[in-house]
């Protein structure tokens, strides 16, 4: 008697659902993307709601008080809405603050801890393998739109700025091997990314811990160093934008690459102050550099250079004379994009021990004066672009027109370019726009041609 064959399909196991909340800076976003990629690789589904999740992972921020409060509120909400919560990120590295406030969380890890997070998930929600759906795209899972991505080149920082606790939260500098960084960048571009945003705690220091070791990418040697990394990234044919660059002398090597159109003419340099006395109190690296002279030299080489920076007002010991020196610096430096924050005491920061704290009213008054001055500078610098043609990258489109960004605009922190006319543009498209109007932040224009 012949055997009888039947085609029976085994029922698929129900997926395990993980909710995910990502808070904090772009570096934390990349940490979240790594965890999400590993979750999908192991067959977990990412749940859009607390109700559908079997447990929730929260990637927290713990740098300033507002961020700590936001993280604690997110943990509290997840516990009430779901009940099973794993906490990771910078807040998890701040002693027992999470367990003291929420003793019933399942686990707590520090930042950059994908392996520890996954171990906690395995313990409380073991994976169920499904070969039909356990597939992850080569570029991994990302939280940014398809057309741009953050490329983290290192973790941690070797500096000990007195207002900062990043080294305590994320450790000393650990650079990623350059071949790994370039391999990830290549996969992102192949997946449709048109803008790479290079991030770290200190981009200029990239490779110093590895003694600028040479690796091989696509058969050619590349040093683990910022200049060589930028040159290699430029060969991918997409926008490359540098963030968190300290003004070390070798930053001068990057400017000709910008002038030649190899990478975007954009530098995000957190100067933090202009008073030499305040910079010493902050223990800032490169505090002795003649910043204004270097800015002028950079602009001589690359007139299109956009400079973004951040500053702190009301730092302990800041006098009116120190603050006036900062305002004078703004007048002379003519920076394009600027953020400013009143000093906030961060638990564990050495600056909290400094004498002569500045009262809150004075901090707010100085913040207002600072921003009013910078608003005029930013408006004047943008006004110069009226009548010019700008290549822009489209972020969104709708019935009333498109929203885009120029080479001078990083996502979420800088300005926008509004194209107020019907079009068929898609996010990720490049287009040339004639600029008709500007204000202190944004530009308005009309399409000339697809780029």
């Amino acid at each position: 008697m012949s055997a009888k064959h039947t085609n029976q399909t085994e029922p698929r196991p129900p997926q395990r659902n993980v909710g995910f909340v990502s808070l904090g800076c772009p570096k934390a976003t990349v940490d979240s993307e790594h965890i999400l990629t590993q979750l999908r690789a192991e067959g977990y589904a990412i749940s859009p709601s607390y109700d559908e999740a079997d447990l929730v992972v929260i990637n927290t921020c713990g740098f300033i008080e507002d961020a700590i409060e936001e993280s604690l509120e997110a943990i509290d909400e997840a516990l009430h809405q779901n009940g099973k919560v794993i906490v990771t990120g910078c807040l998890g590295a701040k002693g027992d603050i999470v367990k003291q406030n929420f003793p019933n969380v399942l686990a707590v890890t520090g930042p950059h801890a994908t392996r520890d997070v996954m171990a906690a998930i395995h313990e409380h929600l073991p994976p169920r393998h499904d070969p039909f759906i356990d597939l992850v795209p080569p570029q991994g899972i990302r939280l940014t739109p398809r057309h741009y991505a953050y490329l983290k080149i290192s973790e941690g920082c070797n500096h000990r700025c007195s207002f900062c606790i990043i080294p305590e939260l994320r450790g000393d500098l650990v650079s990623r091997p350059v071949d790994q960084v370039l391999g990830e960048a290549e996969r992102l571009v192949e997946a449709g990314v048109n803008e790479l945003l290079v991030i770290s705690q200190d981009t200029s220091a990239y490779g110093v811990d590895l003694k600028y070791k040479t690796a091989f990418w696509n058969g050619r040697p590349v040093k683990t160093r910022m200049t060589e990394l930028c040159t290699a990234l430029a060969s991918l044919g997409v926008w490359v934008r540098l963030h968190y660059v300290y003004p070390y002398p070798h930053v001068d090597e990057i400017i000709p690459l910008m002038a030649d159109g190899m990478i975007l003419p954009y530098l995000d340099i957190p100067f933090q102050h202009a008073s030499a006395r305040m910079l010493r109190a902050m223990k800032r690296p490169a505090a002795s550099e003649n910043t204004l002279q270097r800015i002028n030299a950079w602009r001589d080489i690359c007139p299109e250079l956009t400079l973004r920076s951040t500053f702190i007002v009301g730092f302990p010991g800041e006098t009116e004379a120190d603050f006036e020196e900062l305002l004078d610096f703004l007048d002379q430096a003519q920076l394009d994009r600027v953020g400013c924050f009143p000093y906030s005491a961060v638990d564990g920061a050495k600056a909290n021990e400094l004498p002569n704290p500045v009262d809150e009213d004075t901090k707010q008054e100085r913040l207002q004066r600072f921003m009013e001055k910078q608003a005029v500078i930013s408006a004047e610098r943008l006004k110069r672009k009226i009548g010019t043609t700008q290549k822009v990258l489209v972020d969104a489109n709708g019935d009333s027109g498109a929203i885009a960004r120029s080479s001078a605009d990083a996502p979420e922190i800088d300005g926008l370019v509004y194209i107020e006319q019907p079009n068929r543009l898609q996010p990720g498209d490049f287009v040339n726009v004639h600029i008709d109007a500007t204000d202190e932040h944004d530009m308005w224009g009309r399409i000339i041609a697809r780029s």
Side-chain angles (χ1 to χ4, degrees), residues 9-287:
T9 302
E10 290 293 327
R12 292 185 180 181
Q15 278 189 288
R16 303 287 194 152
N17 296 308
V18 177
F20 206 99
V21 178
S22 184
L23 305 172
C25 66
K27 278 87 71 178
T29 298
V30 173
D31 288 350
S32 295
E33 291 173 344
H34 290 168
I35 297 170
L36 289 166
T37 296
Q38 190 61 35
L39 284 168
R40 292 297 293 121
E42 296 186 14
Y44 292 94
I46 310 304
S47 173
S49 70
Y50 291 126
D51 293 338
E52 298 175 6
D54 295 303
L55 62 76
V56 178
V57 177
I58 301 180
N59 191 5
T60 60
C61 182
F63 185 51
I64 61 174
E65 289 303 318
D66 287 347
I68 292 172
E69 187 64 30
E70 180 186 25
S71 295
L72 293 174
E73 289 175 358
I75 297 168
D76 185 58
E77 180 182 21
L79 283 170
H80 279 91
Q81 296 291 327
N82 182 277
K84 297 181 179 180
V85 177
I86 293 171
V87 176
T88 186
C90 289
L91 186 61
K94 291 177 69 70
D96 296 327
I97 184 172
V98 175
K99 281 290 189 179
Q100 288 173 355
N101 283 274
F102 307 105
N104 53 336
V105 296
L106 300 178
V108 180
T109 82
H112 196 53
T114 300
R115 184 178 301 177
D116 293 337
V117 173
M118 293 308 301
I121 293 172
H122 293 160
E123 178 183 351
H124 298 283
L125 190 67
R128 291 172 177 165
H129 178 64
D130 183 349
F132 293 99
I133 59 175
D134 292 358
L135 300 173
V136 175
Q139 74 274 15
I141 306 300
R142 295 189 291 111
L143 298 176
T144 52
R146 183 174 181 268
H147 60 283
Y148 70 81
Y150 294 107
L151 183 67
K152 185 159 68 169
I153 63 173
S154 65
E155 185 62 73
C157 183
N158 287 341
H159 300 295
R160 297 298 184 264
C161 300
S162 62
F163 57 82
C164 182
I165 58 170
I166 290 297
E168 284 72 32
L169 298 178
R170 291 183 172 264
D172 287 337
L173 176 73
V174 178
S175 300
R176 293 179 62 197
V178 69
D179 55 325
Q180 292 184 15
V181 173
L182 291 170
E184 180 184 351
E186 198 168 28
R187 291 189 296 274
L188 289 168
V189 172
E190 289 171 353
V193 166
N194 281 330
E195 179 181 15
L196 294 169
L197 300 112
V198 178
I199 60 169
S200 65
Q201 304 297 337
D202 181 358
T203 297
S204 309
Y206 177 62
V208 67
D209 56 312
L210 299 178
K211 298 181 180 179
Y212 306 121
K213 179 181 177 181
T214 297
F216 286 84
W217 174 64
N218 289 344
R220 72 185 197 204
V222 183
K223 274 189 175 182
T224 306
R225 187 170 176 270
M226 183 175 68
T227 303
E228 286 78 2
L229 172 65
C230 290
T231 302
L233 289 173
S235 69
L236 297 176
V238 298
W239 277 7
V240 176
R241 190 183 301 276
L242 300 181
H243 287 277
Y244 312 111
V245 177
Y246 288 95
Y248 305 139
H250 66 268
V251 173
D252 296 352
E253 301 171 11
I254 301 296
I255 309 303
L257 301 182
M258 297 178 175
D260 291 340
M262 297 175 66
I263 63 175
L264 290 183
Y266 180 100
L267 275 180
D268 173 11
I269 302 182
F271 291 123
Q272 304 298 13
H273 215 284
S275 161
R277 196 176 72 85
M278 285 292 94
L279 290 169
R280 285 194 297 271
M282 292 178 177
K283 299 189 183 302
R284 292 291 291 166

Side-chain angles (χ1 to χ4, degrees), residues 112 295 317-318:
H112 196 53
I295 288 174
E318 183 188 59

